């Protein structure tokens, strides 16, 4: 290690000790536009010197995850990237999920939450069609919403790190034999007793999905003590993971029985709340992006959506499940992919 690197490492450690961290966690300012059950729709503020440019974007997070996934930290924020480019940018947040929400199924988000969010962004932006960007389960919900309500003013769909073929997820392969023995009774009993999947289990599952990185993280940090941006990203991801919330019980049951056991998404049709939804009817321009190191939604699982939709394209980008969305490499890979796609769609 050079003298300059030693000095930088010492400075980073001192800053962490004295000031509590290296990352700039200031959220992009925003205004609440609409509010309902498990629904808050925000408009993010563009910097004062930036003029509006381009059509509106609505950012859709998964359940159990705060919308800070799109605004992780300054310098590594999807929201900051969009508003700095002048894009009218909107986000939907679901808030805390409690025992009283245990009867909420995915149809609540597909039929109520996301259609309301799309319409709010559409109206607030002056009647422009909305580019919907969903991450993980948020991407699945966005596609299901477009399939369920075809009249929504959606310009395009961007689906990032969303699994559609659950048989193509190696992380789940050991679980399937266990399901035959105990899962059909033990797992449903768990989410009924707790009203869902508690937040601590959600956080633990996210960490287990990147177990190799968790094990090697102390060594990686030691090797990168001089890299402030690297350390800031580690800090921001840890802060984000600590804020995960619970899954509602009925939604968990649908994910478990229809997506995991029946693999319904890969077949192109599923039923939510008694309503059949045909994914193959979605003709919107759709961009599917998979992370090359993603264990939760590997490329083969994410690509299954492209085989179902007539107007979908597929790309990969560096990063794991969160990294492909808002990792340091996403700034030069994933985000430009989305920018070019939106520009092409908007003509």
């Amino acid at each position: 290690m050079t003298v300059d690197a030693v000095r930088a490492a010492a400075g980073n450690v001192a800053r962490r000790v004295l000031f509590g961290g290296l990352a700039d966690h200031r959220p992009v300012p925003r205004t609440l536009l609409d509010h309902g059950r498990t629904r808050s729709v925000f408009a993010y503020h563009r910097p004062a010197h930036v003029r509006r440019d381009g059509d509106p974007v609505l950012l859709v997070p998964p359940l159990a995850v705060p919308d800070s996934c799109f605004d992780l930290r300054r310098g590594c924020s999807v929201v900051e990237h969009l508003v700095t480019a002048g894009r009218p940018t909107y986000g939907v947040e679901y808030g805390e999920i409690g025992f009283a929400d245990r009867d909420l199924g995915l149809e609540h988000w597909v039929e109520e939450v996301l259609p309301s969010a799309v319409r709010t962004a559409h109206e607030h932006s002056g009647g422009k069609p909305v580019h919907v960007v969903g991450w993980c389960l948020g991407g699945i919900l966005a596609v299901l919403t477009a399939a369920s309500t075809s009249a929504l003013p959606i310009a395009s769909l961007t689906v990032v790190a969303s699994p559609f073929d659950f048989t193509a997820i190696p992380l789940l392969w050991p679980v399937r034999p266990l399901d035959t023995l105990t899962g059909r009774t033990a797992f449903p009993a768990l989410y009924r007793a707790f009203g869902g999947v508690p937040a601590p289990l959600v956080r633990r599952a996210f960490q287990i999905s990147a177990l190799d990185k968790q094990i090697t993280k102390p060594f990686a940090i030691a090797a990168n003590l001089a890299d402030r941006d690297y350390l800031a990203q580690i800090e921001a991801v840890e802060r984000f993971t600590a804020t995960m919330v619970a899954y509602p019980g009925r939604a968990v049951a649908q994910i478990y029985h229809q997506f995991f056991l029946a693999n319904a998404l890969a077949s192109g049709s599923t039923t939510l709340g008694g309503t059949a939804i045909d994914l193959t009817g979605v003709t919107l321009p759709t961009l599917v992006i998979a992370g090359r190191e993603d264990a939760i939604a590997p490329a083969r699982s994410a690509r299954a959506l492209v085989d179902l939709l007539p107007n979908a394209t597929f790309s990969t980008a560096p990063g794991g499940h969160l990294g492909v969305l808002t990792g340091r490499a996403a700034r030069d890979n994933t985000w430009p992919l989305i920018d070019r796609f939106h520009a092409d769609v908007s003509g």
Side-chain angles (χ1 to χ4, degrees):
M1 184 178 286
T2 66
V3 174
D4 289 342
V6 171
R7 288 173 179 167
N12 291 338
V13 172
R15 183 176 178 85
R16 178 68 184 264
V17 172
L18 296 175
F19 299 101
L22 298 168
D24 184 348
H25 297 295
R26 289 175 301 151
V28 174
R30 61 186 188 176
T31 298
L32 179 66
L33 301 179
D34 182 50
H35 180 70
R37 187 179 185 186
T38 70
R39 182 187 79 248
S40 295
V41 184
F42 297 92
Y44 290 96
H45 301 177
R46 295 190 306 278
H49 63 281
V50 175
R51 298 181 61 183
R52 170 172 167 159
D53 183 25
D55 290 333
V57 179
L58 174 65
L59 303 173
V60 179
L63 305 184
V65 171
D67 63 338
S68 59
C69 59
F70 293 107
D71 193 17
L72 194 65
R73 66 179 176 97
R74 292 298 175 96
C76 217
S77 161
V78 180
V79 173
E80 184 183 35
H81 168 76
L82 291 169
V83 297
T84 302
R87 301 291 298 277
T89 305
Y90 303 87
V92 58
E93 184 180 68
Y94 311 132
E96 293 287 339
I97 299 294
F99 191 75
D101 301 310
R102 63 189 180 279
D103 292 329
L104 290 179
L106 295 178
E107 65 275 6
H108 170 68
W109 282 267
V110 169
E111 297 174 359
E112 298 181 35
V113 173
L114 293 190
S116 294
V118 170
R119 293 187 184 104
T120 297
H122 171 68
E123 293 168 5
H124 186 267
S125 65
K128 294 287 188 180
V130 180
H131 295 278
V132 178
V133 178
W135 173 60
C136 187
L137 181 60
I140 295 174
L141 293 176
V143 174
L144 291 171
T145 299
S148 177
T149 312
S150 59
L152 287 173
I154 298 176
S156 73
L157 298 171
T158 299
V159 181
V160 183
S162 300
F164 279 83
D165 182 355
F166 278 61
T167 65
I169 305 175
L171 189 68
L172 297 180
W173 290 348
V175 180
R176 291 191 175 275
L178 294 176
D179 172 75
T180 304
L181 299 174
T182 62
R184 294 177 189 271
T185 56
F187 186 68
L190 176 67
Y191 65 67
R192 290 191 186 106
F194 288 96
V197 177
L201 289 182
V202 175
R203 289 193 290 270
R204 183 61 61 192
F206 187 84
Q207 292 167 343
I208 290 174
S209 71
L211 185 60
D212 57 334
K213 293 183 179 179
Q214 291 292 321
I215 293 173
T216 60
K217 184 162 61 173
F219 304 101
I221 291 174
N224 289 278
L225 279 178
D227 188 341
R228 178 168 295 189
D229 191 55
Y230 177 90
L231 299 177
Q233 185 70 5
I234 293 288
E235 177 189 313
V237 171
E238 289 177 345
R239 185 173 185 264
F240 163 75
T241 304
T243 58
M244 290 183 174
V245 297
Y247 268 100
R250 190 155 177 270
V252 171
Q254 291 169 322
I255 295 170
Y256 175 71
H257 290 291
Q258 297 191 45
F259 299 173
F260 174 61
L261 292 184
N263 204 29
L265 293 177
S267 70
S269 64
T270 189
T271 300
L272 298 177
T275 301
I277 301 177
D278 181 11
L279 275 65
T280 63
V282 177
T283 59
L284 293 166
T286 302
L287 173 63
V288 178
I289 302 175
R292 293 174 193 147
E293 295 83 42
D294 191 347
I296 296 177
R300 191 160 69 90
S301 177
R303 187 184 174 85
L305 179 62
V306 180
D307 298 330
L308 298 172
L309 306 189
N311 198 13
T313 56
F314 179 73
S315 293
T316 63
H321 195 58
L322 178 62
V324 69
L325 174 74
T326 192
R328 297 196 300 163
R331 297 177 288 201
D332 299 318
N333 294 274
T334 304
W335 302 352
L337 278 174
I338 297 173
D339 292 341
R340 288 193 295 270
F341 173 65
H342 287 174
D344 290 343
V345 171
S346 297

